Amino acid sequence: MLLKCSKRCTLTRPNLQWRASSQPQPWCLAFLFHLIWCRVIHRRLADEDDELSEVQPDAVPPEVREWLASTFTRQLATAKRKSDEKPKFRSVAHAIRAGIFVDRIYRRVTSTALMQFPQDVVRVLKTLDEWSFDVFALHEASAGAPVKYLGYELLNRYGMIHKFKVPPTILENFLSRIEEGYCKFHNPYHNNLHAADVAQTVHYMLCQTGLMNWLSDLEIFATLVAAVVHDYEHTGTTNNFHVMSGSETALLYNDRAVLENHHISAAFRLMRDEECNILQNLSRDEFREFRTLVIDMVLATDMSFHFQQLKNMRSLLSLAEPTIDKSKATSLVLHCCDISHPAKRWDLHHRWTMSLLDEFFLQGDKERDLGLPFSPLCDRNNTLVAESQIGFIEFIVEPSMGVCADMLECILGPLHSSAKNSTSTAGSEPINEENAGSEPSNKFKIRKPWIACLSDNKKIWKEQAAKDAEARAKQDEEESADPQPVTEE
Ligand code: AMP
Ligand code: ZN
């Protein structure tokens, strides 16, 4: 008798045989495990498929759909493509503080001159709290060292240097080495600017929504450090490329979250160097908690967990009294900040997009040289840029920002109401309220500057897509009117 897994899976060996007359063999057990495992995995993939099915087949070109599936789920990550296929509040004090956090955002304790900041850097950092902060301007003002100054400024502003007794020179060394790691492969996109950009966006989420008041100092410290190191020593190639090309890193991490595992491991390895050990004055318990948080957050930046992460948070938020885990919340925030550039001002978003495409095309060149199939968006001669950006905004960034905002309002709502009750007698200003239209006025709402940017950017890409389609149609017409002569070999 031949038993076969009903799923045409390649997860384990499906061709196990079992003869009814024979004694139970260890591989019978293995086969049973296989069936159970398959159910779990296929259920999970089916969930992701449900999410992806929201992407209507005719809403985006097939190439874009394929890219969304292969990048933001685990469905096609390593599948071979045939060449012809189209491709709780801690205390009342916390709550009260929430009522005044707008004016008294930072817990910077020291005004002692620590590291010297060039005047131009100080000027650019005045806009650090803005949603569309210009990290490119900081890069220029800092002579190519945005991570060093921005990282230092943030850790000082939140009082982390003081609270966790981080020796200033050690912090400077650590940030400089992190910055160097980001520059190692000269990536057009995954470089020190991206690290600084994500860290600044996380800062916006912490301070402008009030999230910092829900988190402990250690959680804030871990969140900021996770943002700074989240793509450390990025190779400028995707996880899929590592897997398909059988890189050393893929070998080391068994094809799972290859880059993310490397970013975390290399960053913690760097912190073992005494000269860079910013954690040297943490207690053993603090260190363990910090490490767990950073690992969770950075692993959650693996895009193949995107749909699962959103789905889990949505179902949690649909409960009558959701309890949101700190690590899940900060992970979602970091993930959203990581993909937030389409939600920034057009000039910034456009620049990021061009840089990312440059990086993808360089990967495509490597794939061609290695005889590997092109990864989606990596073929410089066949990539629908505007369409892919519309797809990325509509199906990835907008839903992510939506869930993240719902989560923040759910977490911060009760904090806001207790702060309001405590501060109404003290006469403090209400916090951060921008109640939109028909929402009940007592429902806490955060500011969402990304909504307008997403809509503006999408409109521009749509105009661009229409122009591109017109140009392609014209070219097709010209080619069919003037066919190329067939040359005999
Ligand atoms: P990370 O690689 O950790 O920075 O995660 C960001 C990922 O989001 C990138 O690697 C891309 O897969 C995706 N992404 C970000 N911006 C864009 C964009 N403009 N178009 C397409 N994909 C994007
Ligand atoms: Zn990133």
Side-chain angles (χ1 to χ4, degrees), residues 190 194 230-231 338:
H190 287 101
H194 171 64
H230 87 281
D231 275 331
D338 198 16

Side-chain angles (χ1 to χ4, degrees), residues 182 189-190 194-195 198 227 230-231 234 263 301 303 337-339:
Y182 273 103
Y189 179 88
H190 287 101
H194 171 64
V198 173
H230 87 281
D231 275 331
H234 198 291
H263 307 318
T301 64
M303 294 296 151
C337 295
D338 198 16
I339 54 169

Side-chain angles (χ1 to χ4, degrees), residues 446-458:
I446 58 165
R447 240 178 253 153
K448 298 170 188 123
W450 48 83
I451 292 182
C453 295
L454 284 165
S455 149
D456 291 351
N457 294 340
K458 206 159 57 168

